[in-house]
PDB file of all heavy atoms in Angstrom:
ATOM      1  N   LYS W   6     -15.356 -24.615 -10.927  1.00 87.00           N
ATOM      2  CA  LYS W   6     -16.246 -23.862 -11.794  1.00 87.00           C
ATOM      3  C   LYS W   6     -17.397 -23.266 -11.054  1.00 87.00           C
ATOM      4  O   LYS W   6     -17.996 -22.277 -11.500  1.00 87.00           O
ATOM      5  CB  LYS W   6     -16.767 -24.790 -12.907  1.00 87.00           C
ATOM      6  CG  LYS W   6     -15.668 -25.294 -13.821  1.00 87.00           C
ATOM      7  CD  LYS W   6     -16.171 -26.221 -14.877  1.00 87.00           C
ATOM      8  CE  LYS W   6     -15.065 -26.692 -15.778  1.00 87.00           C
ATOM      9  NZ  LYS W   6     -15.547 -27.561 -16.837  1.00 87.00           N
ATOM     10  N   LYS W   9     -18.959 -18.876  -5.022  1.00 92.00           N
ATOM     11  CA  LYS W   9     -19.871 -18.352  -4.019  1.00 92.00           C
ATOM     12  C   LYS W   9     -20.974 -17.517  -4.682  1.00 92.00           C
ATOM     13  O   LYS W   9     -20.741 -16.821  -5.668  1.00 92.00           O
ATOM     14  CB  LYS W   9     -19.073 -17.477  -3.045  1.00 92.00           C
ATOM     15  CG  LYS W   9     -19.844 -17.019  -1.835  1.00 92.00           C
ATOM     16  CD  LYS W   9     -18.950 -16.229  -0.910  1.00 92.00           C
ATOM     17  CE  LYS W   9     -19.747 -15.678   0.232  1.00 92.00           C
ATOM     18  NZ  LYS W   9     -18.897 -14.917   1.155  1.00 92.00           N
ATOM     19  N   GLY W  18     -28.371 -37.462  -4.312  1.00 89.00           N
ATOM     20  CA  GLY W  18     -28.434 -37.525  -2.884  1.00 89.00           C
ATOM     21  C   GLY W  18     -29.838 -37.336  -2.309  1.00 89.00           C
ATOM     22  O   GLY W  18     -30.803 -37.272  -3.066  1.00 89.00           O
ATOM     23  N   ALA W  26     -28.437 -21.033  -3.063  1.00 95.00           N
ATOM     24  CA  ALA W  26     -27.211 -20.313  -3.357  1.00 95.00           C
ATOM     25  C   ALA W  26     -26.051 -20.890  -2.615  1.00 95.00           C
ATOM     26  O   ALA W  26     -26.180 -21.350  -1.479  1.00 95.00           O
ATOM     27  CB  ALA W  26     -27.385 -18.825  -3.009  1.00 95.00           C
ATOM     28  N   ARG W  29     -20.567 -21.211   0.700  1.00 93.00           N
ATOM     29  CA  ARG W  29     -19.124 -21.356   0.833  1.00 93.00           C
ATOM     30  C   ARG W  29     -18.608 -22.509  -0.008  1.00 93.00           C
ATOM     31  O   ARG W  29     -19.310 -23.505  -0.186  1.00 93.00           O
ATOM     32  CB  ARG W  29     -18.826 -21.661   2.316  1.00 93.00           C
ATOM     33  CG  ARG W  29     -17.447 -21.396   2.732  1.00 93.00           C
ATOM     34  CD  ARG W  29     -17.366 -21.289   4.234  1.00 93.00           C
ATOM     35  NE  ARG W  29     -15.989 -21.654   4.627  1.00 93.00           N
ATOM     36  CZ  ARG W  29     -15.685 -22.314   5.712  1.00 93.00           C
ATOM     37  NH1 ARG W  29     -16.627 -22.685   6.546  1.00 93.00           N
ATOM     38  NH2 ARG W  29     -14.441 -22.602   5.985  1.00 93.00           N
ATOM     39  N   VAL W  30     -17.430 -22.360  -0.580  1.00 93.00           N
ATOM     40  CA  VAL W  30     -16.770 -23.434  -1.327  1.00 93.00           C
ATOM     41  C   VAL W  30     -15.571 -23.911  -0.526  1.00 93.00           C
ATOM     42  O   VAL W  30     -14.716 -23.129  -0.161  1.00 93.00           O
ATOM     43  CB  VAL W  30     -16.295 -22.923  -2.725  1.00 93.00           C
ATOM     44  CG1 VAL W  30     -15.613 -24.043  -3.460  1.00 93.00           C
ATOM     45  CG2 VAL W  30     -17.441 -22.386  -3.527  1.00 93.00           C
ATOM     46  N   LEU W  31     -15.591 -25.220  -0.186  1.00 92.00           N
ATOM     47  CA  LEU W  31     -14.502 -25.819   0.598  1.00 92.00           C
ATOM     48  C   LEU W  31     -13.553 -26.520  -0.378  1.00 92.00           C
ATOM     49  O   LEU W  31     -13.820 -27.664  -0.805  1.00 92.00           O
ATOM     50  CB  LEU W  31     -15.065 -26.783   1.615  1.00 92.00           C
ATOM     51  CG  LEU W  31     -16.144 -26.216   2.543  1.00 92.00           C
ATOM     52  CD1 LEU W  31     -16.817 -27.332   3.305  1.00 92.00           C
ATOM     53  CD2 LEU W  31     -15.544 -25.201   3.490  1.00 92.00           C
ATOM     54  N   VAL W  39     -24.518 -25.229   0.581  1.00 94.00           N
ATOM     55  CA  VAL W  39     -25.638 -24.573  -0.131  1.00 94.00           C
ATOM     56  C   VAL W  39     -26.707 -24.202   0.903  1.00 94.00           C
ATOM     57  O   VAL W  39     -27.053 -25.000   1.769  1.00 94.00           O
ATOM     58  CB  VAL W  39     -26.235 -25.543  -1.183  1.00 94.00           C
ATOM     59  CG1 VAL W  39     -27.305 -24.823  -1.982  1.00 94.00           C
ATOM     60  CG2 VAL W  39     -25.144 -26.003  -2.149  1.00 94.00           C
ATOM     61  N   ASN W  43     -29.262 -29.938   2.609  1.00 91.00           N
ATOM     62  CA  ASN W  43     -28.455 -30.852   3.423  1.00 91.00           C
ATOM     63  C   ASN W  43     -28.397 -30.388   4.885  1.00 91.00           C
ATOM     64  O   ASN W  43     -27.336 -30.272   5.475  1.00 91.00           O
ATOM     65  CB  ASN W  43     -27.041 -31.009   2.835  1.00 91.00           C
ATOM     66  CG  ASN W  43     -26.358 -32.265   3.315  1.00 91.00           C
ATOM     67  OD1 ASN W  43     -27.002 -33.221   3.721  1.00 91.00           O
ATOM     68  ND2 ASN W  43     -25.040 -32.274   3.292  1.00 91.00           N
ATOM     69  N   ALA W  48     -25.366 -31.288  17.915  1.00 93.00           N
ATOM     70  CA  ALA W  48     -25.445 -30.943  19.322  1.00 93.00           C
ATOM     71  C   ALA W  48     -24.409 -29.839  19.605  1.00 93.00           C
ATOM     72  O   ALA W  48     -23.224 -29.994  19.359  1.00 93.00           O
ATOM     73  CB  ALA W  48     -25.124 -32.171  20.173  1.00 93.00           C
ATOM     74  N   ILE W  63     -27.920 -27.205  11.112  1.00 91.00           N
ATOM     75  CA  ILE W  63     -26.943 -26.489  10.295  1.00 91.00           C
ATOM     76  C   ILE W  63     -26.870 -27.110   8.891  1.00 91.00           C
ATOM     77  O   ILE W  63     -27.317 -28.240   8.678  1.00 91.00           O
ATOM     78  CB  ILE W  63     -25.527 -26.496  10.931  1.00 91.00           C
ATOM     79  CG1 ILE W  63     -25.004 -27.928  11.081  1.00 91.00           C
ATOM     80  CG2 ILE W  63     -25.504 -25.778  12.244  1.00 91.00           C
ATOM     81  CD1 ILE W  63     -23.538 -28.017  11.245  1.00 91.00           C
ATOM     82  N   ILE W  74     -24.632 -26.151 -11.590  1.00 92.00           N
ATOM     83  CA  ILE W  74     -24.957 -24.728 -11.654  1.00 92.00           C
ATOM     84  C   ILE W  74     -26.187 -24.545 -12.552  1.00 92.00           C
ATOM     85  O   ILE W  74     -26.330 -25.217 -13.565  1.00 92.00           O
ATOM     86  CB  ILE W  74     -23.751 -23.900 -12.146  1.00 92.00           C
ATOM     87  CG1 ILE W  74     -24.023 -22.417 -11.974  1.00 92.00           C
ATOM     88  CG2 ILE W  74     -23.383 -24.217 -13.561  1.00 92.00           C
ATOM     89  CD1 ILE W  74     -22.798 -21.544 -12.045  1.00 92.00           C
ATOM     90  N   LYS W  77     -29.482 -19.157 -16.005  1.00 88.00           N
ATOM     91  CA  LYS W  77     -30.618 -18.248 -15.880  1.00 88.00           C
ATOM     92  C   LYS W  77     -31.568 -18.379 -17.080  1.00 88.00           C
ATOM     93  O   LYS W  77     -32.775 -18.273 -16.958  1.00 88.00           O
ATOM     94  CB  LYS W  77     -30.140 -16.822 -15.736  1.00 88.00           C
ATOM     95  CG  LYS W  77     -29.427 -16.564 -14.442  1.00 88.00           C
ATOM     96  CD  LYS W  77     -28.882 -15.136 -14.392  1.00 88.00           C
ATOM     97  CE  LYS W  77     -27.932 -14.945 -13.247  1.00 88.00           C
ATOM     98  NZ  LYS W  77     -26.556 -15.370 -13.586  1.00 88.00           N
ATOM     99  N   CYS W  79     -31.707 -21.134 -19.439  1.00 85.00           N
ATOM    100  CA  CYS W  79     -32.247 -22.488 -19.588  1.00 85.00           C
ATOM    101  C   CYS W  79     -33.150 -22.872 -18.406  1.00 85.00           C
ATOM    102  O   CYS W  79     -34.121 -23.619 -18.565  1.00 85.00           O
ATOM    103  CB  CYS W  79     -31.121 -23.506 -19.671  1.00 85.00           C
ATOM    104  SG  CYS W  79     -30.008 -23.246 -21.064  1.00 85.00           S
ATOM    105  N   ARG W  81     -32.259 -24.744 -15.814  1.00 88.00           N
ATOM    106  CA  ARG W  81     -31.952 -26.090 -15.338  1.00 88.00           C
ATOM    107  C   ARG W  81     -30.464 -26.244 -15.173  1.00 88.00           C
ATOM    108  O   ARG W  81     -29.683 -25.438 -15.687  1.00 88.00           O
ATOM    109  CB  ARG W  81     -32.529 -27.148 -16.296  1.00 88.00           C
ATOM    110  CG  ARG W  81     -32.205 -26.896 -17.749  1.00 88.00           C
ATOM    111  CD  ARG W  81     -32.897 -27.855 -18.653  1.00 88.00           C
ATOM    112  NE  ARG W  81     -32.311 -29.185 -18.460  1.00 88.00           N
ATOM    113  CZ  ARG W  81     -32.595 -30.219 -19.202  1.00 88.00           C
ATOM    114  NH1 ARG W  81     -33.440 -30.122 -20.180  1.00 88.00           N
ATOM    115  NH2 ARG W  81     -32.037 -31.399 -18.963  1.00 88.00           N
ATOM    116  N   VAL W  83     -26.742 -27.094 -15.799  1.00 90.00           N
ATOM    117  CA  VAL W  83     -26.005 -27.249 -17.053  1.00 90.00           C
ATOM    118  C   VAL W  83     -24.526 -27.435 -16.768  1.00 90.00           C
ATOM    119  O   VAL W  83     -24.054 -27.174 -15.671  1.00 90.00           O
ATOM    120  CB  VAL W  83     -26.202 -26.025 -17.995  1.00 90.00           C
ATOM    121  CG1 VAL W  83     -27.616 -25.955 -18.503  1.00 90.00           C
ATOM    122  CG2 VAL W  83     -25.786 -24.750 -17.278  1.00 90.00           C
ATOM    123  N   ILE W  85     -20.599 -26.245 -17.555  1.00 89.00           N
ATOM    124  CA  ILE W  85     -19.999 -24.930 -17.750  1.00 89.00           C
ATOM    125  C   ILE W  85     -18.863 -25.008 -18.735  1.00 89.00           C
ATOM    126  O   ILE W  85     -18.045 -25.910 -18.689  1.00 89.00           O
ATOM    127  CB  ILE W  85     -19.480 -24.385 -16.402  1.00 89.00           C
ATOM    128  CG1 ILE W  85     -20.605 -24.296 -15.397  1.00 89.00           C
ATOM    129  CG2 ILE W  85     -18.836 -23.007 -16.578  1.00 89.00           C
ATOM    130  CD1 ILE W  85     -20.150 -24.011 -13.988  1.00 89.00           C
ATOM    131  N   ILE W  89     -13.386 -16.591 -24.106  1.00 91.00           N
ATOM    132  CA  ILE W  89     -12.598 -15.382 -23.915  1.00 91.00           C
ATOM    133  C   ILE W  89     -13.425 -14.221 -24.440  1.00 91.00           C
ATOM    134  O   ILE W  89     -13.778 -14.163 -25.636  1.00 91.00           O
ATOM    135  CB  ILE W  89     -11.249 -15.449 -24.660  1.00 91.00           C
ATOM    136  CG1 ILE W  89     -10.461 -16.720 -24.255  1.00 91.00           C
ATOM    137  CG2 ILE W  89     -10.434 -14.198 -24.420  1.00 91.00           C
ATOM    138  CD1 ILE W  89     -10.052 -16.788 -22.814  1.00 91.00           C
ATOM    139  N   ASP W  90     -13.777 -13.295 -23.543  1.00 85.00           N
ATOM    140  CA  ASP W  90     -14.582 -12.111 -23.891  1.00 85.00           C
ATOM    141  C   ASP W  90     -13.711 -10.882 -23.758  1.00 85.00           C
ATOM    142  O   ASP W  90     -13.562 -10.352 -22.658  1.00 85.00           O
ATOM    143  CB  ASP W  90     -15.823 -12.040 -22.974  1.00 85.00           C
ATOM    144  CG  ASP W  90     -16.781 -10.946 -23.386  1.00 85.00           C
ATOM    145  OD1 ASP W  90     -16.910 -10.714 -24.595  1.00 85.00           O
ATOM    146  OD2 ASP W  90     -17.401 -10.329 -22.472  1.00 85.00           O
ATOM    147  N   VAL W  95     -14.693 -15.788 -19.327  1.00 90.00           N
ATOM    148  CA  VAL W  95     -15.982 -15.849 -18.676  1.00 90.00           C
ATOM    149  C   VAL W  95     -16.573 -17.252 -18.756  1.00 90.00           C
ATOM    150  O   VAL W  95     -16.258 -18.008 -19.684  1.00 90.00           O
ATOM    151  CB  VAL W  95     -16.981 -14.837 -19.306  1.00 90.00           C
ATOM    152  CG1 VAL W  95     -16.595 -13.428 -18.960  1.00 90.00           C
ATOM    153  CG2 VAL W  95     -17.127 -15.037 -20.794  1.00 90.00           C
ATOM    154  N   CYS W 101     -26.914 -23.148 -24.085  1.00 86.00           N
ATOM    155  CA  CYS W 101     -27.374 -21.983 -24.861  1.00 86.00           C
ATOM    156  C   CYS W 101     -26.315 -20.957 -25.148  1.00 86.00           C
ATOM    157  O   CYS W 101     -26.523 -20.031 -25.934  1.00 86.00           O
ATOM    158  CB  CYS W 101     -28.554 -21.320 -24.113  1.00 86.00           C
ATOM    159  SG  CYS W 101     -28.113 -20.632 -22.512  1.00 86.00           S
TER     160      CYS W 101
END
Side-chain angles (χ1 to χ4, degrees):
K6 295 178 180 182
K9 188 177 176 179
R29 200 162 154 216
V30 179
L31 306 168
V39 183
N43 200 23
I63 61 161
I74 190 164
K77 293 176 191 85
C79 301
R81 49 186 290 187
V83 292
I85 302 169
I89 305 297
D90 187 34
V95 291
C101 64

